Structure formats: C-alpha cells, structure tokens
Coordinates of all heavy atoms in Angstrom, one line a residue:
M1340 N 63.6 56.7 141.5 CA 63.9 55.3 141.8 C 62.6 54.4 142.0 O 61.5 55.0 142.1 CB 64.8 55.2 143.0 CG 66.2 55.7 142.8 SD 67.1 55.0 141.5 CE 67.5 53.4 142.2
N1341 N 62.8 53.1 142.0 CA 61.7 52.2 142.1 C 61.5 51.8 143.6 O 61.5 50.6 143.9 CB 61.9 51.0 141.2 CG 60.7 50.3 140.9 OD1 59.6 50.8 141.1 ND2 60.8 49.1 140.4
M1342 N 61.2 52.7 144.4 CA 60.9 52.4 145.8 C 59.5 51.8 146.0 O 58.6 52.2 145.3 CB 61.1 53.6 146.7 CG 62.4 54.3 146.6 SD 63.7 53.4 147.4 CE 63.6 54.1 149.1
K1343 N 59.4 50.8 146.9 CA 58.1 50.3 147.3 C 57.8 50.6 148.7 O 58.8 50.7 149.5 CB 58.2 48.8 147.1 CG 58.3 48.3 145.6 CD 58.4 46.8 145.5 CE 58.7 46.4 144.1 NZ 59.1 44.9 144.1
F1344 N 56.6 50.6 149.1 CA 56.2 50.9 150.4 C 55.9 49.6 151.2 O 55.1 48.7 150.7 CB 54.9 51.8 150.5 CG 55.2 53.1 149.8 CD1 54.9 53.3 148.5 CD2 55.8 54.1 150.6 CE1 55.2 54.6 147.9 CE2 56.1 55.3 150.0 CZ 55.8 55.6 148.6
F1345 N 56.4 49.5 152.4 CA 56.3 48.2 153.1 C 55.6 48.4 154.5 O 55.8 49.5 155.1 CB 57.6 47.6 153.4 CG 58.2 47.0 152.1 CD1 59.1 47.8 151.3 CD2 57.9 45.7 151.6 CE1 59.6 47.3 150.1 CE2 58.4 45.2 150.5 CZ 59.3 46.0 149.7
Y1346 N 54.9 47.4 154.9 CA 54.1 47.4 156.2 C 54.5 46.2 157.0 O 54.8 45.1 156.4 CB 52.6 47.5 155.9 CG 52.2 48.7 155.3 CD1 52.2 48.9 153.9 CD2 51.7 49.8 156.0 CE1 51.8 50.1 153.3 CE2 51.3 51.0 155.4 CZ 51.4 51.1 154.0 OH 51.0 52.3 153.4
L1347 N 54.4 46.3 158.3 CA 54.7 45.2 159.2 C 53.4 44.8 159.9 O 52.7 45.7 160.5 CB 55.7 45.6 160.2 CG 56.1 44.5 161.2 CD1 56.8 43.3 160.5 CD2 57.1 45.0 162.3
S1348 N 53.0 43.6 159.8 CA 51.7 43.1 160.5 C 51.9 43.3 162.0 O 52.9 43.0 162.5 CB 51.5 41.7 160.1 OG 50.5 41.1 160.9
S1349 N 50.8 43.7 162.6 CA 50.8 43.8 164.1 C 50.5 42.5 164.8 O 50.8 42.3 165.9 CB 49.8 44.8 164.6 OG 49.9 46.0 163.9
N1350 N 49.9 41.5 164.0 CA 49.5 40.2 164.6 C 50.4 39.1 164.0 O 50.5 39.0 162.8 CB 48.1 39.9 164.3 CG 47.2 41.0 164.9 OD1 47.4 41.4 166.1 ND2 46.2 41.4 164.2
P1351 N 51.0 38.3 164.9 CA 51.8 37.2 164.4 C 51.0 36.2 163.6 O 49.8 36.0 163.8 CB 52.3 36.5 165.6 CG 52.0 37.4 166.8 CD 50.9 38.3 166.3
D1352 N 51.6 35.6 162.6 CA 50.9 34.5 161.8 C 51.0 33.2 162.6 O 51.4 33.2 163.8 CB 51.5 34.4 160.4 CG 52.9 33.7 160.4 OD1 53.5 33.5 161.5 OD2 53.5 33.6 159.4
F1353 N 50.6 32.1 162.0 CA 50.5 30.8 162.7 C 51.9 30.3 163.1 O 52.0 29.4 164.0 CB 49.7 29.8 162.0 CG 50.3 29.4 160.6 CD1 51.2 28.4 160.5 CD2 49.9 30.2 159.5 CE1 51.7 28.1 159.2 CE2 50.4 29.9 158.2 CZ 51.3 28.9 158.1
N1354 N 53.0 30.9 162.5 CA 54.3 30.5 162.9 C 54.9 31.4 164.0 O 56.1 31.3 164.3 CB 55.2 30.5 161.7 CG 55.0 29.3 160.8 OD1 54.8 28.2 161.3 ND2 55.0 29.5 159.5
G1355 N 54.1 32.4 164.4 CA 54.5 33.4 165.4 C 55.4 34.5 164.8 O 56.1 35.2 165.5
K1356 N 55.3 34.6 163.5 CA 56.1 35.6 162.8 C 55.2 36.8 162.4 O 54.1 36.7 162.1 CB 56.7 35.1 161.5 CG 57.6 33.9 161.7 CD 59.0 34.4 162.0 CE 60.0 33.3 162.0 NZ 61.3 33.7 162.5
L1357 N 55.9 38.0 162.5 CA 55.2 39.2 162.0 C 55.6 39.4 160.6 O 56.8 39.5 160.3 CB 55.7 40.4 162.8 CG 55.3 40.4 164.3 CD1 56.0 41.5 165.1 CD2 53.8 40.4 164.5
L1358 N 54.7 39.4 159.7 CA 55.0 39.4 158.2 C 55.2 40.8 157.7 O 54.4 41.7 158.0 CB 54.0 38.6 157.4 CG 53.9 37.1 157.7 CD1 52.8 36.5 156.8 CD2 55.2 36.5 157.5
I1359 N 56.1 41.0 156.8 CA 56.4 42.2 156.1 C 55.6 42.1 154.7 O 55.8 41.2 154.0 CB 57.9 42.4 155.8 CG1 58.5 42.7 157.2 CG2 58.1 43.6 154.9 CD1 60.1 42.6 157.1
H1360 N 54.8 43.1 154.5 CA 54.0 43.1 153.2 C 54.4 44.4 152.4 O 54.6 45.4 152.9 CB 52.5 43.2 153.5 CG 52.0 42.0 154.2 ND1 51.6 40.8 153.6 CD2 51.8 41.8 155.5 CE1 51.2 39.9 154.5 NE2 51.3 40.5 155.7
E1361 N 54.3 44.2 151.1 CA 54.3 45.3 150.2 C 52.9 45.9 150.1 O 51.9 45.2 150.4 CB 54.8 44.9 148.8 CG 55.5 45.9 148.0 CD 55.1 45.9 146.6 OE1 55.2 44.9 145.9 OE2 54.6 47.0 146.1
R1362 N 52.8 47.2 149.8 CA 51.6 47.9 149.9 C 50.5 47.2 149.0 O 49.3 47.2 149.3 CB 51.7 49.4 149.5 CG 50.5 50.2 149.7 CD 50.7 51.6 149.5 NE 51.2 52.0 148.2 CZ 51.6 53.2 147.9 NH1 51.5 54.2 148.7 NH2 52.1 53.5 146.7
S1363 N 50.9 46.7 147.8 CA 50.0 46.1 146.9 C 49.6 44.6 147.2 O 48.9 44.0 146.4 CB 50.5 46.2 145.5 OG 51.7 45.5 145.4
C1364 N 50.1 44.1 148.3 CA 49.9 42.7 148.6 C 48.4 42.4 148.9 O 47.7 43.1 149.6 CB 50.7 42.3 149.8 SG 50.4 40.6 150.3
P1365 N 47.8 41.3 148.3 CA 46.4 41.0 148.6 C 46.2 40.5 150.0 O 45.1 40.6 150.5 CB 46.2 39.8 147.6 CG 47.5 39.3 147.2 CD 48.5 40.4 147.3
E1366 N 47.3 40.2 150.7 CA 47.2 39.7 152.1 C 47.5 40.8 153.1 O 47.6 40.6 154.3 CB 48.1 38.6 152.4 CG 47.9 37.3 151.5 CD 46.6 36.6 151.8 OE1 46.3 36.5 153.0 OE2 46.0 36.1 150.9
L1367 N 47.6 42.1 152.6 CA 48.0 43.2 153.5 C 46.9 43.3 154.6 O 45.7 43.4 154.3 CB 48.0 44.5 152.6 CG 48.5 45.8 153.3 CD1 49.9 45.7 153.7 CD2 48.2 47.0 152.5
P1368 N 47.3 43.4 155.9 CA 46.4 43.5 157.0 C 45.7 44.9 156.9 O 46.2 45.8 156.3 CB 47.2 43.4 158.2 CG 48.5 42.9 157.8 CD 48.7 43.3 156.3
S1369 N 44.6 45.0 157.6 CA 43.8 46.3 157.7 C 44.7 47.3 158.3 O 45.6 47.0 159.1 CB 42.5 46.1 158.4 OG 42.8 46.1 159.8
P1370 N 44.3 48.6 158.1 CA 45.1 49.7 158.7 C 45.3 49.6 160.2 O 46.2 50.1 160.8 CB 44.3 51.0 158.4 CG 43.6 50.6 157.1 CD 43.3 49.1 157.3
Y1371 N 44.4 48.9 160.9 CA 44.4 48.8 162.4 C 45.4 47.6 162.8 O 45.7 47.5 164.0 CB 43.0 48.5 162.9 CG 42.1 49.6 162.6 CD1 41.1 49.4 161.6 CD2 42.1 50.9 163.2 CE1 40.2 50.4 161.2 CE2 41.3 51.9 162.8 CZ 40.3 51.6 161.8 OH 39.4 52.6 161.5
E1372 N 45.8 46.8 161.8 CA 46.6 45.7 162.2 C 48.0 45.7 161.5 O 48.5 44.6 161.2 CB 45.8 44.4 161.8 CG 44.5 44.2 162.5 CD 43.7 43.0 161.9 OE1 43.6 42.9 160.7 OE2 43.2 42.2 162.7
R1373 N 48.4 46.9 161.2 CA 49.7 47.0 160.5 C 50.4 48.2 160.9 O 49.8 49.2 161.3 CB 49.6 46.9 159.0 CG 49.0 48.2 158.4 CD 48.6 48.0 157.0 NE 48.2 49.3 156.4 CZ 47.3 49.5 155.4 NH1 46.7 48.4 154.9 NH2 47.0 50.7 155.0
D1374 N 51.8 48.2 160.8 CA 52.6 49.4 161.0 C 53.3 49.7 159.8 O 53.8 48.9 159.1 CB 53.6 49.2 162.2 CG 53.0 49.0 163.5 OD1 52.1 49.8 163.9 OD2 53.3 48.0 164.2
Y1375 N 53.4 51.0 159.5 CA 54.1 51.4 158.3 C 55.6 51.4 158.6 O 56.1 51.9 159.5 CB 53.8 52.9 157.9 CG 54.5 53.4 156.7 CD1 54.4 52.8 155.5 CD2 55.3 54.6 156.8 CE1 55.0 53.3 154.4 CE2 55.9 55.1 155.7 CZ 55.8 54.4 154.5 OH 56.5 54.9 153.4
L1376 N 56.4 50.6 157.7 CA 57.8 50.5 157.9 C 58.6 51.6 157.1 O 59.6 52.1 157.7 CB 58.2 49.1 157.3 CG 58.2 47.9 158.3 CD1 58.6 46.7 157.5 CD2 59.1 48.1 159.5
G1377 N 58.2 51.9 155.9 CA 58.9 52.9 155.1 C 59.0 52.4 153.7 O 58.4 51.4 153.3
A1378 N 59.7 53.2 152.9 CA 59.9 52.9 151.5 C 61.3 52.3 151.3 O 62.3 52.9 151.8 CB 59.7 54.2 150.6
F1379 N 61.4 51.2 150.6 CA 62.6 50.5 150.4 C 62.7 50.0 149.0 O 61.7 49.9 148.3 CB 62.8 49.3 151.4 CG 62.7 49.7 152.8 CD1 61.5 49.6 153.5 CD2 63.8 50.2 153.5 CE1 61.4 50.0 154.9 CE2 63.7 50.6 154.8 CZ 62.6 50.5 155.5
N1380 N 63.9 49.6 148.5 CA 64.1 49.1 147.2 C 63.7 47.7 147.1 O 63.3 47.2 146.0 CB 65.6 49.2 146.8 CG 66.0 50.6 146.5 OD1 65.3 51.3 145.8 ND2 67.1 51.0 147.1
S1381 N 63.7 46.9 148.2 CA 63.3 45.5 148.2 C 62.7 45.1 149.5 O 62.9 45.8 150.5 CB 64.5 44.7 147.9 OG 65.4 44.7 149.0
A1382 N 62.0 44.0 149.5 CA 61.5 43.4 150.8 C 62.6 43.0 151.7 O 62.5 43.1 152.9 CB 60.6 42.2 150.5
F1383 N 63.8 42.7 151.2 CA 64.9 42.3 152.0 C 65.4 43.5 152.8 O 65.8 43.4 154.0 CB 66.0 41.7 151.1 CG 67.1 41.1 151.9 CD1 66.9 40.1 152.9 CD2 68.5 41.4 151.6 CE1 67.9 39.6 153.6 CE2 69.5 40.9 152.3 CZ 69.3 39.9 153.3
E1384 N 65.5 44.7 152.1 CA 65.9 45.9 152.8 C 64.9 46.2 153.9 O 65.3 46.6 155.0 CB 65.9 47.0 151.8 CG 67.3 47.5 151.5 CD 67.3 48.7 150.6 OE1 66.7 49.7 150.9 OE2 67.9 48.6 149.5
A1385 N 63.6 46.1 153.6 CA 62.6 46.3 154.6 C 62.7 45.4 155.8 O 62.6 45.7 157.0 CB 61.2 46.1 154.0
L1386 N 63.1 44.1 155.5 CA 63.3 43.1 156.6 C 64.5 43.5 157.5 O 64.4 43.5 158.7 CB 63.6 41.8 155.9 CG 63.8 40.6 157.0 CD1 62.5 40.2 157.6 CD2 64.6 39.5 156.3
K1387 N 65.6 43.9 156.9 CA 66.7 44.4 157.7 C 66.4 45.5 158.6 O 66.8 45.5 159.8 CB 67.9 44.8 156.7 CG 68.7 43.7 156.2 CD 70.0 44.1 155.6 CE 69.8 45.0 154.4 NZ 71.1 45.3 153.7
N1388 N 65.6 46.4 158.1 CA 65.1 47.5 158.9 C 64.2 47.0 160.1 O 64.3 47.5 161.2 CB 64.4 48.5 158.0 CG 64.1 49.8 158.8 OD1 63.1 49.9 159.5 ND2 65.0 50.8 158.6
A1389 N 63.3 46.1 159.7 CA 62.3 45.7 160.7 C 62.9 44.9 161.8 O 62.5 44.9 163.0 CB 61.2 44.8 160.0
T1390 N 64.0 44.1 161.5 CA 64.6 43.3 162.5 C 65.3 44.2 163.6 O 65.7 43.7 164.7 CB 65.7 42.4 161.9 OG1 66.6 43.1 161.1 CG2 65.0 41.3 161.1
E1391 N 65.5 45.5 163.3 CA 66.1 46.3 164.3 C 65.0 46.7 165.4 O 65.3 47.2 166.4 CB 66.7 47.6 163.7 CG 67.9 47.3 162.9 CD 68.5 48.4 162.1 OE1 68.0 49.6 162.3 OE2 69.3 48.2 161.3
I1392 N 63.7 46.6 165.0 CA 62.6 46.9 165.9 C 62.1 45.7 166.6 O 61.8 45.6 167.8 CB 61.5 47.6 165.1 CG1 62.0 48.6 164.1 CG2 60.5 48.3 166.1 CD1 60.9 49.1 163.1
K1393 N 61.9 44.6 165.8 CA 61.3 43.4 166.3 C 62.2 42.2 165.9 O 62.9 42.3 164.9 CB 59.9 43.1 165.6 CG 58.9 44.3 165.8 CD 58.0 44.1 167.0 CE 57.2 45.3 167.4 NZ 55.9 45.3 166.9
S1394 N 62.1 41.1 166.7 CA 63.0 40.0 166.4 C 62.4 38.9 165.5 O 63.0 38.2 164.7 CB 63.5 39.4 167.7 OG 62.4 39.0 168.5
N1395 N 61.0 38.8 165.6 CA 60.4 37.7 164.9 C 59.7 38.1 163.6 O 58.5 38.0 163.5 CB 59.4 37.0 165.9 CG 58.3 38.0 166.4 OD1 58.6 39.2 166.5 ND2 57.2 37.5 166.8
V1396 N 60.4 38.7 162.7 CA 59.9 39.2 161.5 C 60.3 38.3 160.3 O 61.3 37.6 160.3 CB 60.3 40.6 161.2 CG1 59.6 41.6 162.2 CG2 61.8 40.8 161.2
S1397 N 59.4 38.2 159.3 CA 59.6 37.4 158.1 C 59.0 38.1 156.9 O 58.0 38.9 157.1 CB 59.0 36.0 158.4 OG 59.4 35.2 157.4
I1398 N 59.4 37.8 155.7 CA 58.8 38.4 154.5 C 57.6 37.5 154.1 O 57.7 36.3 154.1 CB 59.9 38.4 153.4 CG1 61.0 39.3 153.7 CG2 59.2 38.8 152.1 CD1 62.2 39.2 152.7
C1399 N 56.5 38.2 153.8 CA 55.3 37.6 153.4 C 55.6 36.7 152.2 O 56.2 37.2 151.2 CB 54.3 38.6 153.1 SG 52.8 38.0 152.2
P1400 N 55.1 35.4 152.2 CA 55.4 34.5 151.0 C 54.5 34.9 149.8 O 54.8 34.5 148.7 CB 55.0 33.2 151.6 CG 54.1 33.4 152.7 CD 54.5 34.7 153.3
V1401 N 53.5 35.7 150.0 CA 52.6 36.1 148.9 C 53.2 37.2 148.1 O 53.3 37.1 146.9 CB 51.2 36.5 149.4 CG1 50.3 36.9 148.2 CG2 50.6 35.3 150.1
C1402 N 53.6 38.3 148.7 CA 54.2 39.4 148.0 C 55.7 39.4 148.0 O 56.3 40.2 147.2 CB 53.6 40.7 148.6 SG 54.0 41.0 150.3
G1403 N 56.3 38.7 148.9 CA 57.8 38.7 149.0 C 58.4 38.0 147.8 O 57.9 37.1 147.2
C1404 N 59.6 38.6 147.3 CA 60.3 38.0 146.2 C 61.0 36.7 146.7 O 61.6 36.7 147.7 CB 61.3 39.0 145.7 SG 62.5 38.3 144.5
K1405 N 60.8 35.6 145.9 CA 61.3 34.3 146.3 C 62.9 34.4 146.4 O 63.4 33.8 147.2 CB 60.9 33.3 145.2 CG 59.5 32.9 145.3 CD 59.2 31.7 144.4 CE 57.8 31.1 144.6 NZ 56.8 32.1 144.1
E1406 N 63.5 35.2 145.5 CA 64.9 35.3 145.5 C 65.4 35.9 146.8 O 66.4 35.5 147.4 CB 65.4 36.1 144.3 CG 66.9 36.1 144.1 CD 67.3 37.0 143.0 OE1 66.5 37.2 142.0 OE2 68.3 37.6 143.0
E1407 N 64.6 36.9 147.3 CA 65.0 37.5 148.6 C 64.9 36.5 149.8 O 65.7 36.5 150.7 CB 64.1 38.7 148.8 CG 64.6 39.9 147.9 CD 63.6 41.0 147.8 OE1 62.5 40.9 148.4 OE2 63.8 41.9 147.1
I1408 N 63.8 35.7 149.7 CA 63.6 34.7 150.8 C 64.7 33.7 150.7 O 65.3 33.3 151.8 CB 62.2 34.1 150.6 CG1 61.1 35.1 150.9 CG2 62.1 32.9 151.6 CD1 59.7 34.6 150.6
Y1409 N 65.1 33.3 149.5 CA 66.3 32.4 149.4 C 67.5 33.0 150.0 O 68.2 32.3 150.8 CB 66.5 32.1 147.9 CG 67.8 31.3 147.7 CD1 67.8 29.9 148.0 CD2 69.0 31.9 147.4 CE1 69.0 29.2 147.9 CE2 70.1 31.2 147.2 CZ 70.2 29.9 147.5 OH 71.4 29.2 147.4
T1410 N 67.8 34.3 149.7 CA 69.0 34.9 150.2 C 69.0 35.0 151.7 O 69.9 34.7 152.4 CB 69.0 36.4 149.7 OG1 69.0 36.4 148.3 CG2 70.3 37.1 150.1
L1411 N 67.8 35.2 152.3 CA 67.6 35.3 153.7 C 67.9 33.9 154.4 O 68.7 33.8 155.3 CB 66.2 35.7 154.1 CG 65.9 35.8 155.6 CD1 66.6 36.9 156.2 CD2 64.4 35.9 155.8
R1412 N 67.4 32.8 153.8 CA 67.6 31.5 154.3 C 69.1 31.2 154.3 O 69.7 30.6 155.2 CB 66.9 30.5 153.5 CG 65.4 30.5 153.8 CD 64.8 29.1 153.5 NE 63.3 29.1 153.7 CZ 62.5 28.9 152.8 NH1 62.8 28.7 151.6 NH2 61.2 29.0 153.1
H1413 N 69.7 31.6 153.2 CA 71.1 31.3 153.0 C 71.9 32.0 154.1 O 72.8 31.5 154.7 CB 71.5 31.8 151.6 CG 72.9 31.5 151.2 ND1 73.2 30.2 150.9 CD2 74.0 32.2 151.0 CE1 74.5 30.1 150.6 NE2 75.0 31.3 150.6
L1414 N 71.6 33.3 154.3 CA 72.3 34.1 155.3 C 72.1 33.5 156.7 O 73.1 33.4 157.5 CB 71.8 35.5 155.3 CG 72.2 36.4 154.1 CD1 71.6 37.7 154.2 CD2 73.8 36.5 154.0
S1415 N 70.9 33.1 157.1 CA 70.6 32.7 158.4 C 71.3 31.3 158.6 O 71.7 30.9 159.7 CB 69.1 32.6 158.7 OG 68.5 31.8 157.7
K1416 N 71.4 30.5 157.6 CA 72.1 29.2 157.7 C 73.6 29.5 158.0 O 74.2 28.8 158.8 CB 71.9 28.5 156.3 CG 72.4 27.0 156.4 CD 72.2 26.3 155.1 CE 72.9 24.9 155.2 NZ 73.6 24.6 154.0
K1417 N 74.2 30.4 157.2 CA 75.6 30.7 157.5 C 75.8 31.2 158.9 O 76.8 30.9 159.5 CB 76.0 31.9 156.5 CG 76.6 31.3 155.2 CD 77.3 32.4 154.5 CE 78.2 31.9 153.4 NZ 78.7 32.9 152.5
A1418 N 74.9 32.0 159.4 CA 75.0 32.6 160.7 C 75.0 31.6 161.8 O 75.6 31.7 162.9 CB 73.9 33.7 161.0
S1419 N 74.3 30.5 161.6 CA 74.1 29.4 162.6 C 75.3 28.4 162.6 O 75.4 27.5 163.4 CB 72.8 28.7 162.5 OG 72.7 28.0 161.2
E1420 N 76.1 28.5 161.6 CA 77.2 27.5 161.5 C 78.4 27.8 162.5 O 78.5 29.0 162.8 CB 77.8 27.6 160.0 CG 77.0 26.7 159.1 CD 77.4 26.9 157.6 OE1 78.3 27.6 157.4 OE2 76.8 26.2 156.8
Ligands
ZN419 ZN1 52.2 40.1 151.6

C-alpha cells in the first residue's frame, strides 16, 4: 500500500498549533523538534490519530493535501453548529 510517514512538531507554530508533517516535507522540523506519529494513508488519518494525543494539532499547509484541509474545515464547521 501507499503508506506515508508522518511526524508531529514539538514546537507550536505562530498560531499555537502543532503541525503534522509528511516525512518528505521541506518544513519538517529537526529530529530534536518532532515526534514520530506513524505510517498512515493520508495526512487526515495522521491528524485523527494525533488529536487523541494532543488537542492543538493541524496539518502542515506546505506538505498537507489541500483537499484534506478542506475536509477538516468542513467537519469542524459542522461540529460547531
Ligand atoms: Zn509539512
């Protein structure tokens, strides 16, 4: 299967979010500033897993799939209604 490896940044970005990165991301933090999340089919799956550990997580806008970010916004909008 086409699994990708994902990492969670240890340091929040300027929005206070911990970003999820794919291994090949140019913005991937150094090994001292990231935690290995695991192998998933998509960034969205990695996000679902990460939210069970931390509450303030978000998909990196550089390596994250735009469609997945859209889905996430759509879901969170529904949840707040
Ligand atoms: Zn990234």
Side-chain angles (χ1 to χ4, degrees):
M1340 292 301 287
N1341 197 16
M1342 302 286 270
K1343 292 175 187 170
F1344 298 95
F1345 290 94
Y1346 294 87
L1347 182 65
S1348 169
S1349 308
N1350 298 318
D1352 71 358
F1353 60 91
N1354 286 319
K1356 296 281 190 186
L1357 299 172
L1358 294 182
I1359 292 167
H1360 297 276
E1361 209 221 304
R1362 188 169 61 182
S1363 61
C1364 179
E1366 301 291 324
L1367 185 68
S1369 80
Y1371 303 104
E1372 298 171 316
R1373 71 190 189 211
D1374 292 313
Y1375 179 60
L1376 273 176
F1379 301 97
N1380 288 312
S1381 67
F1383 189 53
E1384 249 182 62
L1386 179 78
K1387 279 196 292 184
N1388 190 277
T1390 51
E1391 289 172 13
I1392 318 166
K1393 306 264 170 100
S1394 56
N1395 55 335
V1396 291
S1397 188
I1398 297 172
C1399 167
V1401 177
C1402 60
C1404 172
K1405 286 188 173 69
E1406 190 183 327
E1407 285 165 0
I1408 291 171
Y1409 170 79
T1410 305
L1411 178 69
R1412 285 207 182 116
H1413 189 68
L1414 287 177
S1415 54
K1416 190 176 170 226
K1417 269 194 164 173
S1419 63
E1420 275 171 3

